[in-house]
């Protein structure tokens, strides 16, 4: 069952500079962290507990990690309006976990396609 009051953040970063400090502050604020592959491993190795995106979506990361957060369980959790009665019904019907904050940076596209 969904929890409309628990706060959570999705963290998925290529460049991890400074992310540990941000994550620790979120933990101090009692905000649950959901993260993707490399970010999850990085944070966990530093003692910061996270939930894997794959556990939330019940779907693996594919295409070498290029597709992992493109899923209704993630986007629904980000886009749902907590005060909208129809959205509340959809949240419950689809057992969505709401996401309050998204922390991302993108991998260097140009460098990646040149490889």
């Amino acid at each position: 069952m969904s929890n409309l009051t628990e706060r959570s953040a999705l963290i998925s970063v290529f460049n991890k500079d400074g992310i540990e400090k941000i994550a620790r502050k979120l933990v101090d604020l009692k905000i649950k962290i959901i993260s993707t592959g490399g970010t999850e491993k990085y944070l966990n190795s530093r003692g910061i507990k996270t939930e894997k995106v794959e556990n939330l979506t019940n779907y693996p990361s594919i295409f070498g990690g290029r597709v992992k957060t493109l899923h209704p369980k993630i986007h629904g959790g980000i886009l749902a309006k907590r005060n909208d009665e129809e959205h509340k019904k959809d949240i419950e019907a689809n057992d969505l976990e709401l996401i309050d904050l998204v922390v991302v940076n993108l991998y260097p596209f140009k460098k990646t396609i040149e490889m």
Side-chain angles (χ1 to χ4, degrees), residues 7-41:
R7 297 182 330 175
S8 65
L10 170 66
I11 302 178
S12 179
V13 294
F14 176 82
N15 180 337
K16 293 169 182 51
D17 291 345
I19 199 61
E20 181 179 352
K21 185 176 181 180
I22 293 169
R24 288 195 187 284
K25 183 62 177 177
L26 293 173
V27 170
D28 289 347
L29 294 170
K30 307 279 190 259
I31 296 173
K32 176 182 173 180
I33 298 174
I34 303 161
S35 59
T36 57
T39 303
E40 183 262 337
K41 288 176 187 153

Side-chain angles (χ1 to χ4, degrees), residues 62-113:
I62 59 175
F63 304 129
R66 290 180 178 205
V67 176
K68 48 196 161 216
T69 59
L70 297 173
H71 192 281
K73 290 264 186 176
I74 299 298
H75 288 264
I78 294 168
L79 298 173
K81 295 178 184 177
R82 292 175 190 234
N83 296 325
D84 183 298
E85 290 305 317
E86 289 302 313
H87 285 216
K88 285 181 184 180
K89 290 176 187 175
D90 286 338
I91 291 164
E92 291 299 323
N94 294 285
D95 194 29
L96 297 180
E97 184 165 329
L98 298 177
I99 299 171
D100 301 284
L101 175 68
V102 178
V103 180
V104 297
N105 62 40
L106 304 174
Y107 60 87
F109 288 107
K110 184 176 180 185
K111 184 177 178 181
T112 302
I113 60 173

Side-chain angles (χ1 to χ4, degrees), residues 20 24 38-50:
E20 181 179 352
R24 288 195 187 284
T39 303
E40 183 262 337
K41 288 176 187 153
Y42 180 87
L43 293 174
N44 284 340
S45 74
R46 284 151 179 81
I48 301 168
K49 182 182 173 196
T50 69

